[in-house]
Amino acid sequence: MNSLRSDTRALKHQMSLLIQRIMPATSPATLALVHALIDALDAQHSHILLTPEQVQALDTPAHKALIGSPGDQSPLVQLDNRLYLRRLFNLEKRVAQQLFARNRQVNPASVTAPKHQDETISVDALSVSQQAAVATALNRQLTIISGGPGTGKTTVIRSIVSALKQLDPNLRIAITAPTGKATARLEDSFRQDLRADLGPEIKTIHRLLGYGAGNRPRFNQMRRLPTDVLIADEASMIDLSLADALFSALPDTARLILVGDPDQLPSVNLGRLLT
């Protein structure tokens, strides 16, 4: 995928030319705001916050061709006191809508986590918060599990897989992560399972989506992934563009479980999925 932050100076130059074309009388203050917005990409922000004075200064007919509302076609979007590049606004909006659509209860009768098939994990050995995470994953279509190093996130993932498999052995479970290092760590953990059929295949997101020639994914909104449950580890490192591609390819009825550390290093490209 093309980096959203690949060349800040080039983007500033392109935006300056665009602004001069559609709004020749742009003030230095407005141009400075646009440059500040582009600089914000380097800090992993999709928008900047405007002061009340800046909001008032932009509320003029002269700025409408440059800065519009979410439903307009202007290159920039202003939503209350937030200023976005339209491409990033639309991207962030799609990701938020995809998450919101899955934020609902499923299988309400399955509140109690069943006995583990994975004999290397004892349910009693899980902490209260870990047991709550497993129960949530059994009962919600969207589950977000966050925690720092050493809090047992990988153990929770294995527990969730074990519990789901006991509820329905035919469930198609996919586990993914943004990097090869993360998938290798998960594979090592699942090798501890005493049941060879317990561990699902673990792939990087790019491999799972089938990116190939032309940098286009095989699976997308028109051709969904053949999975009932998707567990994405190291979710804090998934950028907005990749999250959009991944969530768009997930069947509408599939569970989505995001696991990660919000204080971990962010993604290379734009996006702070867990913050």
Side-chain angles (χ1 to χ4, degrees):
M1 288 186 182
N2 293 329
S3 171
L4 292 171
R5 303 187 293 126
S6 59
D7 193 339
T8 301
R9 284 187 295 180
L11 184 55
K12 283 182 180 178
H13 179 67
Q14 293 168 6
M15 285 298 298
S16 297
L17 293 177
L18 176 63
I19 291 170
Q20 290 172 11
R21 179 168 58 84
I22 65 177
M23 191 178 170
T26 304
S27 68
T30 299
L31 193 58
L33 274 180
V34 175
H35 287 178
L37 176 58
I38 295 170
D39 286 337
L41 303 184
D42 286 327
Q44 293 287 313
H45 298 299
S46 61
H47 64 275
I48 59 173
L49 297 178
L50 302 173
T51 66
E53 293 76 18
Q54 289 170 332
V55 171
Q56 185 176 5
L58 295 176
D59 188 20
T60 66
H63 286 91
K64 296 305 180 185
L66 176 64
I67 303 172
S69 62
D72 296 335
Q73 298 299 318
S74 55
L76 302 180
V77 175
Q78 182 183 342
L79 184 63
D80 299 325
N81 68 330
R82 288 169 288 173
L83 186 65
Y84 297 80
L85 292 175
R86 180 165 295 279
R87 177 191 174 193
L88 300 185
F89 174 83
N90 291 338
L91 192 59
E92 191 172 280
K93 181 180 178 181
R94 282 200 305 272
V95 169
Q97 288 174 333
Q98 289 161 345
L99 292 175
F100 183 78
R102 296 181 191 278
N103 188 24
R104 58 192 177 191
Q105 189 166 341
V106 292
N107 293 342
S110 308
V111 175
T112 304
K115 180 181 178 181
H116 277 274
Q117 293 178 342
D118 178 359
E119 298 176 13
T120 66
I121 303 175
S122 168
V123 175
D124 295 334
L126 297 178
S127 68
V128 173
S129 61
Q130 288 174 325
Q131 292 184 40
V134 174
T136 300
L138 297 181
N139 290 277
R140 305 290 302 181
Q141 193 177 1
L142 172 66
T143 302
I144 300 176
I145 301 169
S146 65
T151 54
K153 296 188 296 296
T154 303
T155 298
V156 169
I157 291 175
R158 291 171 57 201
S159 300
I160 289 171
V161 171
S162 177
L164 286 171
K165 279 294 189 180
Q166 187 170 346
L167 286 173
D168 184 353
N170 296 317
L171 272 180
R172 299 169 299 173
I173 301 176
I175 300 182
T176 189
T179 66
K181 182 178 180 180
T183 58
R185 179 180 54 77
L186 284 168
E187 287 171 348
D188 288 342
S189 176
F190 273 93
R191 287 194 188 101
Q192 300 174 31
D193 296 334
L194 299 183
R195 290 174 54 95
D197 62 341
L198 181 62
E201 188 173 8
I202 302 170
K203 300 179 180 180
T204 64
I205 297 175
H206 283 82
R207 186 175 166 219
L208 178 71
L209 292 177
Y211 275 94
N215 205 27
R216 293 181 180 275
R218 177 187 177 199
F219 295 101
N220 49 47
Q221 191 171 12
M222 302 302 295
R223 185 179 186 179
R224 304 297 181 95
L225 287 163
T227 186
D228 302 306
V229 181
L230 176 64
I231 302 175
D233 195 19
E234 305 287 6
S236 63
M237 298 183 69
I238 304 175
D239 64 71
L240 276 177
S241 185
L242 191 57
D244 181 43
L246 180 63
F247 299 163
S248 296
L250 192 61
D252 293 338
T253 57
R255 281 184 174 91
L256 173 61
I257 302 167
L258 301 175
V259 184
D261 179 359
D263 296 323
Q264 189 180 33
L265 288 174
S267 61
V268 174
N269 293 329
L270 182 70
R272 289 178 178 267
L273 198 57
L274 295 186
T275 57

